[in-house]
Amino acid sequence: MKCMQCGGSMTARQETRRNYAGLEGVIVEGVQVRHCPACGEEEISYSNVEQLHATLALQLARKEAGLTPTEIRFLRTYLGLSGSDLARRMGVTKETVSRWERIDKPLAMGPMAERLLRLMAVREQPVTEYPLERLEHVATTEATPLRVRLKPKKQGWTVELPAR
Ligand SMILES: [Zn+2]
């Protein structure tokens, strides 16, 4: 593999990354990192990113504690929605959405909006993964980050709970 910047040859290694997508409790293993010793260029690649995001979205939808602002933002972008798209679907203003996602003194989303967002996320998943009775148990406690460790396996991304 040649460096795109200088044409030098790159070395490859596998790394474990913490805080994937800014999610403070999420650890992703098996991340490919290519490094160019000549110019310092680094290329990072994740195997099967779509399935990685789908796995993470499902874990977020299933977690019992409320969603943190970063997790709300992750689910919104996973759904391909802008702040105003989500605002329209939820029947709130887009200022409200940005306050939900604000790291510093966020506005609590509230269980109804949160359960709706989780439902939107699981709609993208195989139905068997999320029995609807589960909804009554989620978002009942204060927001704490999801703690997971994701490992790339032949059959796709596997999850270990909780990550340490
Ligand atoms: Zn280089």
Side-chain angles (χ1 to χ4, degrees), residues 27-56:
I27 299 170
V28 178
E29 295 193 358
V31 181
Q32 282 273 1
V33 182
R34 290 199 187 84
H35 176 76
C36 174
C39 75
E41 175 73 0
E42 256 191 11
E43 284 173 18
I44 295 156
S45 61
Y46 295 87
S47 70
N48 200 354
V49 173
E50 270 177 35
Q51 208 238 331
L52 173 63
H53 289 176
T55 304
L56 250 177

Side-chain angles (χ1 to χ4, degrees), residues 2-8 10 36 39 41-43:
K2 294 274 179 225
C3 173
M4 302 274 275
Q5 295 301 317
C6 74
M10 299 186 97
C36 174
C39 75
E41 175 73 0
E42 256 191 11
E43 284 173 18

Side-chain angles (χ1 to χ4, degrees), residues 72-106:
I72 293 167
R73 185 172 195 285
F74 178 87
L75 288 179
R76 175 175 61 72
T77 53
Y78 169 71
L79 291 164
L81 301 175
S82 69
S84 33
D85 293 335
L86 183 66
R88 267 196 305 278
R89 294 200 187 183
M90 297 275 189
V92 298
T93 63
K94 71 173 196 292
E95 289 69 32
T96 298
V97 172
S98 52
R99 289 170 68 203
W100 287 338
E101 296 182 2
R102 191 162 61 198
I103 311 255
D104 180 41
K105 296 193 191 145

Side-chain angles (χ1 to χ4, degrees), residues 10 27 30 32 41 50 57 59 61-63 66-68 73-76 82 87 106-107 111 114 129 133-134 149 156:
M10 299 186 97
I27 299 170
Q32 282 273 1
E41 175 73 0
E50 270 177 35
Q59 293 301 316
R62 293 177 80 108
K63 94 188 238 251
L67 297 169
T68 69
R73 185 172 195 285
F74 178 87
L75 288 179
R76 175 175 61 72
S82 69
L107 173 71
E114 220 188 269
E129 296 288 340
E133 311 83 81
R134 223 193 141 84
R149 178 182 289 266

